Amino acid sequence: MMPARRTLALLLQILPLLATASPDPAPRSNGTDFIRASCGETLYPDVCYSSLSTYAGSVQQSPGQLARAAVAVSLARTQKMAAYLADLSRRSAAGPGAEPRPASGALRDCLTNMGDAVSEIRGSLKQLRQLGNISGGGASREGFRFQMSDVQTWMSAALTNEETCTDGFEDVREGAVKSDVCGRAGEVKKVTSNALALVNSYVNKEAP
């Protein structure tokens, strides 16, 4: 009976340890909760969370890492949209099925707008990567705000360019091209809007 009692005693000691043991997903869980809470401050929280939750492991609970991830996602989406518009413009301008002039002009203008947005977001991401995480205090806080003001300006300009893209289709008759372009551009705008909101949040938290 003694061996059985010892085994039981050993199990009673081990079980609490097994119950409280937490594998590696804990940091990711913390990062996921942080991203969800941060996305609650944006205009499109569901889009924000779905596009950034995969970065939980690297973001952890860092506003700076989250802002960089958001800007990187915005850049990727805007680049993809610009490539789509370039291809669509080539196809729409050729052959007997070419789009009417208003739609063709709106496409060209939209492509220019998206190209400008790509440049602005790329500049923002480069600046964020150069900054790294700067904890505030004295001159460093002022320097952080000064450099981040460029990021805020560029991201705001990028969002304006994306909005201008869809504004250019207001006088274009309803059709597949208008619906498709405006729908896709609308999703890109949401991601960029969220990125700008998270950049602003980063600035406010790092250098209030």
Side-chain angles (χ1 to χ4, degrees):
M1 294 296 295
M2 286 298 293
R5 288 180 181 176
R6 288 176 182 171
T7 300
L8 179 60
L10 184 60
L11 284 173
L12 290 175
Q13 290 176 351
I14 294 175
L15 284 175
L17 296 176
L18 292 175
T20 57
S22 177
D24 287 342
R28 176 177 172 80
S29 176
N30 291 338
T32 299
D33 292 341
F34 173 72
I35 291 172
R36 191 185 299 278
S38 300
C39 283
E41 302 175 11
T42 68
L43 289 178
Y44 310 99
D46 291 340
V47 173
C48 176
Y49 180 75
S50 65
S51 65
L52 295 172
S53 59
T54 56
Y55 293 88
S58 59
V59 166
Q60 296 294 307
Q61 298 189 46
S62 167
Q65 292 284 7
L66 181 58
R68 283 191 285 278
V71 172
V73 169
S74 174
L75 177 59
R77 300 285 179 89
T78 307
Q79 286 176 320
K80 184 176 181 181
M81 183 67 188
Y84 164 77
L85 288 168
D87 180 63
L88 186 61
S89 295
R90 285 191 295 269
R91 289 189 284 112
S92 297
E99 291 293 324
R101 182 168 296 179
S104 179
L107 274 175
R108 287 195 302 271
D109 291 343
C110 185
L111 176 57
T112 299
N113 296 141
M114 285 294 170
D116 290 342
V118 166
S119 297
E120 289 150 354
I121 300 171
R122 184 182 289 122
S124 298
L125 185 58
K126 181 179 179 180
Q127 182 85 313
L128 283 168
R129 286 172 172 167
Q130 290 174 344
L131 275 170
N133 286 318
I134 300 177
S135 54
S140 64
R141 178 179 297 181
E142 293 177 4
F144 172 79
R145 273 198 171 277
F146 176 76
Q147 294 179 73
M148 285 301 294
S149 67
D150 286 338
V151 178
Q152 291 171 300
T153 299
W154 291 331
M155 290 303 296
S156 179
L159 182 58
T160 297
N161 272 307
E162 292 169 1
E163 290 173 342
T164 302
C165 162
T166 53
D167 289 344
F169 281 87
E170 289 183 356
D171 295 330
V172 175
R173 71 183 183 187
E174 296 299 325
V177 171
K178 177 177 179 177
S179 176
D180 191 38
V181 170
C182 290
R184 289 171 183 258
E187 293 305 309
V188 173
K189 286 191 292 184
K190 290 178 183 179
V191 173
T192 301
S193 170
N194 288 339
L196 175 58
L198 293 173
V199 164
N200 291 338
S201 178
Y202 175 37
V203 172
N204 293 334
K205 290 174 181 176
E206 199 68 28

